């Protein structure tokens, strides 16, 4: 037996010289493993969200083989296992509904099986956060490998970005400025390879965050999915996870308050997806690190934009990689980072980014020459959002950051879709669109519908942005002056539920306020008349989700999953 391997988790199964040990080893040998594969070497689980229903992750089955090479080379035993794959572009009603289910599956799969460390293979928006949340509640040595971004999209001789240009093209078709044939031609040119969105959407944002947290090797966020360097990084990860097991460096060793502060700051500098706020809050809750919604504004609200990447900028993830990737960007903001924070590479953040160069200053800026002055998350509060709402100033129109307008209210997403294209809709460019019933509990799952399409009658007038408010999320690829994650949501009696068409709303983003100009007495009268929410789901996971999901300002985790249960399982299976 290798070293102190009997003390490892896998030794409790494969190191026993009794009937239980016989069972554990014998059935594994049915796959062709020799007897000495169970000699006490570290057993590494490879948690794979590969799926042909998740195009972002459709190459992870191949990438897992490169992880295995590294594990074998370092003297470990790699064992791959599946996890639920959440395809943001395919799943209904929203992939976010199932993030916590994936986290539960990953947690129990890791805890229940005889593994000593784990490599998480994910990429599409909700897979990596869900995997990391589940792994954090077990707290074994853990590393992340992301799918990587797809290649730049191409259309009529120019680059186009995943999602970001979809919203633009869709509005152009609705305004009559783009033909259906042109729309379909762009569709074929946008997704040219496997991988995640090539913009700074939710997937790329969280891949960058894993580097900032120190739980992935450098360049994890930017190496294109189809680049051989991602395979080499997977190989190196396989070697490194074995070393982490031998050193007993668990996930909690890296997921410290300093690491989360780095993540919040980097998220701001890249103009990251608003979805990352919910994921980081939930992850912090799993490891017991104090992190609040206000930390995103306090730490990163004034951070300038250093990544000139869509939707806040002009370029795409492939360009960011060639410009120097996250090491170069983090080096440019090093004065703000906790440089002593440790990473899974064996280096500190400071050591990992030392000497990194910017090769294209049109893509990566500096603190002295940023692309925009404000790119972090702004947290708004007021009588509409007593527990907070968020907006992304780098994706907003500056002239709308201070705005007073008449509310045009849509009670449900169905109500919105039925009326938004109606020429008779009473709305103008100064109006504020309000969408209800799209929070964690109500939809259910909090969908990416907060960036409501602008009515065609206004598009025809040249209106390209409006203030929009909802308890929903929006895609990280989206843009606009959109107030999101209003908490509490309308479906649990949040005051956004009381807004009526014709009411005046005042947004003062610089002051971080959002208020409905209606008296407290009138709001109390409306609240007394509003019937309690009626849900149409009484079974399955959705019923569990609705009974236990927390609000957006707490990360929308399930209340009974906050914290951890550790890795110990005392009872045998036979």
């Amino acid at each position: 037996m290798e070293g102190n391997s009997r003390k490892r988790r896998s030794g409790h199964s494969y190191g026993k010289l009794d009937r239980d040990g016989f069972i554990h080893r014998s059935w594994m040998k049915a796959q062709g493993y020799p007897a000495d594969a169970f000699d006490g070497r570290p057993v590494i689980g490879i948690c794979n969200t590969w799926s042909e229903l998740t195009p972002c992750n459709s190459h992870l089955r191949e990438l897992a083989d490169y992880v295995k090479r590294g594990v074998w080379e370092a003297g470990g035993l790699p064992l791959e296992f599946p996890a639920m794959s959440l395809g943001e572009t395919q799943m209904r009603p929203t992939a976010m509904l199932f993030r916590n289910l994936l986290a539960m599956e990953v947690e129990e799969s890791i805890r229940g099986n005889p593994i000593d460390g784990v490599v998480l293979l994910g990429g599409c928006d909700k897979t990596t956060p869900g995997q990391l949340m589940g792994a954090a509640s077990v707290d074994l040595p853990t590393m992340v490998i992301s799918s990587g971004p797809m290649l730049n999209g191409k259309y009529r001789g120019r680059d186009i970005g995943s999602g970001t240009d979809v919203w633009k093209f869709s509005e152009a078709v609705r305004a009559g400025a783009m033909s259906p044939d042109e729309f379909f031609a762009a569709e074929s040119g946008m997704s040219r390879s496997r991988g995640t969105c090539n913009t700074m959407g939710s997937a790329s944002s969280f891949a960058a965050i894993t580097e900032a947290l120190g739980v992935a090797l450098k360049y994890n966020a930017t190496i294109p999915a189809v680049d051989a360097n991602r395979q080499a990084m997977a190989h190196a990860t396989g070697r490194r996870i074995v070393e982490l097991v031998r050193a007993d460096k668990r996930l909690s060793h890296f997921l410290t308050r300093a690491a989360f502060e780095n993540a919040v700051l980097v998220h701001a500098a890249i103009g990251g997806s608003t979805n990352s706020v919910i994921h980081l809050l939930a992850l912090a809750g799993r490891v017991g690190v104090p992190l609040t919604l206000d930390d995103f504004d306090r730490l990163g609200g004034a951070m300038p934009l250093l990544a000139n990447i869509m939707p806040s900028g002009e370029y795409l993830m492939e360009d960011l990689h060639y410009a120097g990737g996250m090491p170069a960007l983090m080096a440019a903001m090093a004065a703000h980072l906790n440089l002593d924070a440790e990473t899974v590479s064996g280096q500190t953040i400071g050591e990992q980014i030392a000497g990194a160069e910017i090769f294209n200053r049109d893509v990566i800026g500096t603190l002295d020459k940023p692309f925009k002055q404000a790119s972090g998350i702004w947290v708004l509060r007021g009588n509409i959002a007593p527990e907070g709402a968020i907006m992304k100033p780098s994706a907003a129109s500056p002239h709308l950051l201070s705005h007073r307008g008449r509310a045009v209210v849509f009670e449900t997403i169905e109500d919105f879709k039925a009326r938004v294209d109606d020429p008779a809709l009473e709305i103008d460019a100064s109006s504020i669109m309000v969408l209800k019933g799209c929070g964690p509990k109500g939809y259910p799952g909090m969908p990416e519908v907060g960036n409501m399409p602008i009515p065609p009658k206004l598009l025809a007038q040249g209106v390209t942005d409006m203030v929009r408010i909802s308890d929903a999320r929006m895609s990280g690829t989206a843009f606009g002056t959109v107030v999101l994650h209003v908490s509490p949501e309308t479906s649990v009696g949040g005051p956004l539920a009381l807004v009526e068409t014709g009411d005046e709303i005042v947004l003062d983003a610089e002051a971080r306020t959002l208020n409905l100009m209606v008296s407290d007495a009138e709001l109390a009268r409306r609240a007394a008349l509003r019937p309690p929410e009626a849900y149409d789901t009484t079974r399955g996971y959705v019923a569990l989700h609705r009974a236990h999901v927390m609000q957006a300002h707490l990360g929308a985790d399930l209340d009974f999953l906050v914290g951890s249960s550790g890795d110990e399982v005392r009872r045998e299976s036979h």
Side-chain angles (χ1 to χ4, degrees):
M1 301 292 286
E2 178 193 293
N4 63 350
S5 59
R6 289 185 182 276
K7 297 180 182 179
R8 292 194 190 117
R9 295 182 80 250
S10 60
H12 293 295
S13 293
Y14 299 134
K16 289 184 175 182
L17 303 178
D18 56 10
R19 181 189 66 181
D20 291 324
F22 181 105
I23 291 171
H24 292 307
R25 291 185 298 271
S26 179
W27 265 260
M28 289 298 288
K29 290 178 180 178
Q31 300 179 84
Y33 292 108
D36 60 3
F38 307 100
D39 60 3
R41 68 188 68 195
V43 177
I44 306 300
I46 301 173
C47 178
N48 198 343
T49 57
W50 168 88
S51 172
E52 291 179 341
L53 285 169
T54 307
C56 308
N57 296 359
S58 61
H59 58 300
L60 292 184
R61 178 71 283 292
E62 301 165 23
L63 206 59
D65 288 335
Y66 290 87
V67 180
K68 292 177 183 179
R69 289 185 186 183
V71 173
W72 283 118
E73 180 183 344
L77 171 62
L79 299 173
E80 184 180 355
F81 64 94
M84 185 179 189
S85 197
L86 308 182
E88 183 65 49
T89 63
Q90 309 299 316
M91 295 191 80
R92 294 183 292 182
T94 170
M96 181 61 186
L97 172 62
F98 305 105
R99 182 202 66 178
N100 298 334
L101 180 59
L102 170 62
M104 291 174 68
E105 180 188 6
V106 170
E107 177 178 348
E108 301 306 337
S109 293
I110 294 174
R111 182 181 294 116
N113 282 294
I115 58 178
D116 303 305
V118 63
V119 175
L120 307 176
L121 294 186
C124 197
D125 295 20
K126 309 306 174 291
T127 56
T128 305
Q131 286 176 295
L132 202 49
M133 288 163 60
S137 289
V138 185
D139 197 25
L140 296 182
T142 303
M143 293 180 71
V144 172
I145 300 176
S146 298
S147 303
M150 62 176 66
L151 298 176
N152 290 358
K154 299 289 182 179
Y155 174 64
R156 292 193 165 185
R158 68 179 180 90
D159 287 350
I160 58 175
S162 309
T164 301
D165 279 306
V166 172
W167 316 126
K168 294 177 181 178
F169 294 154
S170 177
E171 297 292 76
V173 171
R174 295 173 69 239
M178 186 179 196
S179 72
D181 286 344
E182 292 171 328
F183 187 69
F184 295 135
E187 174 185 313
S188 298
M190 181 168 287
S191 303
R192 298 176 47 240
S193 76
R194 296 176 293 179
T196 60
C197 291
N198 52 29
T199 49
M200 190 58 76
S202 299
S204 291
S205 297
F206 208 80
I209 282 171
T210 63
E211 286 193 52
L213 286 171
V215 296
L217 297 183
K218 60 183 181 181
Y219 302 111
N220 174 67
T222 58
I223 300 173
V226 294
D227 191 319
N229 287 296
R230 184 157 294 274
Q231 297 167 340
M233 188 189 73
H235 187 134
T237 299
R239 289 191 303 213
R240 182 60 188 155
I241 189 64
V242 175
E243 295 170 358
L244 288 178
V245 169
R246 290 190 171 121
D248 197 27
K249 290 288 185 71
R250 297 175 181 246
L251 189 54
S252 59
H253 182 82
F254 305 102
L255 293 183
T256 62
R257 170 69 186 189
F260 277 96
E261 289 182 356
N262 284 344
V264 170
L265 287 160
V266 167
H267 176 260
I270 62 177
S273 166
T274 50
N275 289 311
S276 300
V277 175
I278 292 182
H279 301 323
L280 280 171
L281 289 169
L283 180 61
R286 295 298 185 101
V287 292
V289 169
L291 186 72
T292 68
L293 185 62
D294 289 324
D295 283 328
F296 287 85
D297 202 333
R298 183 180 62 82
L299 292 168
M303 176 63 65
L305 182 68
L306 302 186
N308 189 14
I309 307 298
M310 296 182 192
S312 297
E314 302 174 9
Y315 292 90
L316 297 168
M317 293 300 294
E318 188 179 352
D319 305 308
L320 180 58
H321 182 63
Y322 304 145
M326 292 307 301
L329 185 143
M330 292 169 70
M333 57 181 293
H336 293 276
L337 296 176
N338 298 303
L339 298 178
D340 292 334
E342 293 187 53
T343 78
V344 292
S345 71
Q347 297 179 311
T348 64
I349 284 286
E351 291 167 337
Q352 190 156 291
I353 64 177
E357 297 181 61
I358 300 173
F359 301 117
N360 187 341
R361 292 185 181 272
D362 289 335
V363 178
I364 300 177
T366 63
L367 294 176
D368 293 335
K369 292 184 178 180
F371 299 106
K372 293 181 181 179
Q373 284 302 322
S375 69
I377 296 297
W378 288 0
V379 178
L380 314 177
R381 281 193 169 81
N383 63 355
I384 294 179
E387 295 291 355
I390 66 173
M391 69 180 306
K392 183 177 176 180
S394 62
S397 299
H399 72 280
L400 290 174
L401 293 177
S402 178
H403 185 75
R404 183 177 187 133
R406 169 183 174 273
V408 177
V409 176
F410 304 93
E411 293 292 333
T412 64
I413 190 64
E414 290 77 19
D415 179 33
F416 171 80
K417 291 180 177 179
R419 294 196 291 128
V420 68
D421 292 340
D422 187 350
L425 181 67
E426 293 187 11
I427 192 169
D428 60 32
S430 68
S431 299
I432 293 178
M433 299 171 73
V434 176
L435 176 61
K436 303 179 184 179
C438 295
K441 186 185 293 283
Y443 196 82
M446 206 178 178
E448 294 183 344
V449 296
N451 56 316
M452 292 165 266
I454 293 172
K457 63 186 290 184
L458 298 183
L459 290 172
Q461 298 170 19
V463 177
T464 58
D465 194 12
M466 297 175 66
V467 175
R468 287 156 279 180
I469 302 171
S470 77
D471 48 11
R473 299 176 299 113
M474 76 174 180
S475 169
T477 67
F479 51 89
T481 310
V482 185
V483 178
L484 303 156
H485 307 186
V486 172
S487 186
E489 65 178 296
T490 61
S491 298
V492 298
L496 185 67
L498 307 179
V499 181
E500 296 180 356
T501 294
D503 290 344
E504 276 199 314
I505 297 175
V506 177
L507 166 67
D508 188 343
E510 293 282 356
R512 308 299 199 264
T513 59
L514 179 69
N515 284 294
L516 179 66
M517 306 310 290
V518 174
S519 69
D520 291 344
E522 172 60 15
L523 292 177
R525 186 193 69 81
R526 293 180 187 180
L529 295 175
R530 187 173 177 86
E533 190 80 10
Y535 300 122
D536 59 358
T537 303
T538 58
R539 67 178 302 276
Y541 171 71
V542 174
L544 180 70
H545 171 90
R546 276 184 159 147
H548 293 281
V549 70
M550 301 189 299
Q551 289 298 291
H553 71 282
L554 298 174
D557 201 355
L558 301 186
D559 53 18
F560 61 84
L561 293 178
V562 176
S564 63
S565 301
D567 69 299
E568 187 176 16
V569 181
R570 295 183 179 180
R571 289 180 169 174
E572 262 290 358
S573 56
H574 295 86

